[in-house]
Amino acid sequence: MRNLRILITTALVIALSSLGVSAASAADRVTTSCTSASHAQAPAARAIAAPVTVWLAGDSTMANPSSGRCPVGWGSRFDALFSSDVTVRNQAVGGRSIQTWLYEGNVSSTKGSDGECRLTSTTYSSRWQAMLNSSTGMKAGDYLFIQFGINDSSSTCPRHVGPARYRQLMTMMAQAALARGAHPVLLTPVAAITCSGGTATKNRGFVNETFAVGSTTRAPVVDLQSLSVSLYNSLRFCPNNGDYGGSGPLGTFFCNDHTHFDTYGAQRVAGLVAGDVRRQNLPLAAYLT
């Protein structure tokens, strides 16, 4: 009987030891698997957290406010929609066409035989040179948002830009971003508020040209004209009594004109752009809060 008890006890010890080793081995396998998964996910996490600069090139509807409450460009409210890993560099300037923005001070008031405003020099503006700077300008992973087409429609120089010239200059800007590993994003011009009865209507040009450049360069296009008109209709801005500077819906959204935004309007338009970045699933959407 004593020998039997010894045999049973020995067998139990061996069995328990075997179970312990198996459990430990299983635990080790789980730990190793989790560690491997963690290492696999680390690069993606680091990629999302990598600092990004969003460069903005455009006109007054995008520009930072200079003084007072009006006008406020939507670009001045864009930064607030992103995490702290994004820096927005707003280089939009009021009153500029794509050509006067690029060649500040070097666009004459006379047209050439091609119908385009003559350039007195091909020297780029300081703002575009800063973006092109190899050390402090656009870098791989950055974004360049380009929105013109409002002042470009002028029939007189220096603002006037023809359709072919517009495509040429926007293509050049997009390709310059691509050459530096940055991502160009093209925008159609944001709409002014014009009404046909109770419906807000589109009123901007250079839309087809913008989409054509997007097709050529494979850059995404945010159709801000269509988005803004849809927003105006959802807010029931039409018909209106022209009270842009008052306290009503128009006065809250627009300055005392039909084009520029008050702070609230700028915030809403910035939201439209961010919303389309998310809808198109651009990588920049990962930084939206």
Side-chain angles (χ1 to χ4, degrees):
M1 182 65 71
R2 181 173 179 276
N3 291 336
L4 180 60
R5 284 198 301 270
I6 292 173
L7 287 173
I8 292 174
T9 301
T10 302
L12 285 173
V13 169
I14 293 172
L16 289 172
S17 298
S18 175
L19 286 173
V21 170
S22 298
S25 298
D28 287 343
R29 286 195 296 272
V30 171
T31 301
T32 302
S33 176
C34 290
T35 302
S36 299
S38 176
H39 285 312
Q41 292 174 1
R46 284 195 296 270
I48 291 176
V52 168
T53 298
V54 176
W55 304 82
L56 305 182
D59 53 42
S60 58
T61 60
M62 179 193 268
N64 291 331
S66 56
S67 62
R69 57 176 264 188
C70 276
V72 180
W74 66 262
S76 66
R77 297 298 181 265
F78 205 40
D79 184 73
L81 303 178
F82 293 95
S83 71
S84 58
D85 294 310
V86 171
T87 299
V88 174
R89 295 282 299 274
N90 191 356
Q91 299 298 312
V93 184
R96 295 334 186 252
S97 65
I98 191 170
Q99 184 159 256
T100 55
W101 188 94
L102 281 166
Y103 299 100
E104 185 76 47
N106 295 321
V107 184
S108 74
S109 58
T110 60
K111 292 182 181 179
S113 58
D114 59 355
E116 297 295 342
C117 303
R118 293 180 183 273
L119 293 179
T120 58
S121 170
T122 56
T123 300
Y124 290 133
S125 65
S126 58
R127 65 184 70 96
W128 184 231
Q129 290 185 45
M131 289 190 187
L132 299 179
N133 187 284
S134 59
S135 299
T136 57
M138 290 183 289
K139 65 182 185 302
D142 284 354
Y143 285 79
L144 172 62
F145 282 64
I146 309 169
Q147 181 217 283
F148 291 98
I150 294 177
N151 300 303
D152 313 63
S153 61
S154 173
S155 60
T156 59
C157 294
R159 289 184 176 185
H160 168 78
V161 179
R165 180 66 170 158
Y166 189 90
R167 290 194 300 272
Q168 176 192 359
L169 295 177
M170 183 171 274
T171 299
M172 179 272 289
M173 294 180 72
Q175 289 177 339
L178 290 169
R180 288 157 177 77
H183 310 287
V185 179
L186 315 179
L187 298 93
T188 61
V190 62
I193 176 63
T194 58
C195 300
S196 176
T199 304
T201 59
K202 296 179 181 180
N203 43 52
R204 298 300 190 195
F206 298 97
V207 173
N208 292 336
E209 288 75 14
T210 303
F211 275 101
V213 176
S215 178
T216 299
T217 62
R218 298 186 178 181
V221 176
V222 175
D223 189 2
L224 191 52
Q225 174 170 234
S226 294
L227 291 171
S228 56
V229 168
S230 294
L231 176 63
Y232 302 161
N233 280 316
S234 71
L235 296 175
R236 301 182 182 275
F237 282 167
C238 296
N240 64 73
N241 62 3
D243 183 25
Y244 299 107
S247 58
L250 286 178
T252 302
F253 199 99
F254 289 99
C255 302
N256 192 21
D257 59 20
H258 66 291
T259 300
H260 297 101
F261 309 118
D262 205 331
T263 301
Y264 172 71
Q267 290 171 340
R268 293 299 301 266
V269 175
L272 292 178
V273 178
D276 210 52
V277 166
R278 197 186 298 277
R279 182 190 67 81
Q280 295 193 50
N281 198 29
L282 304 186
L284 183 62
Y287 297 87
L288 288 167
T289 56

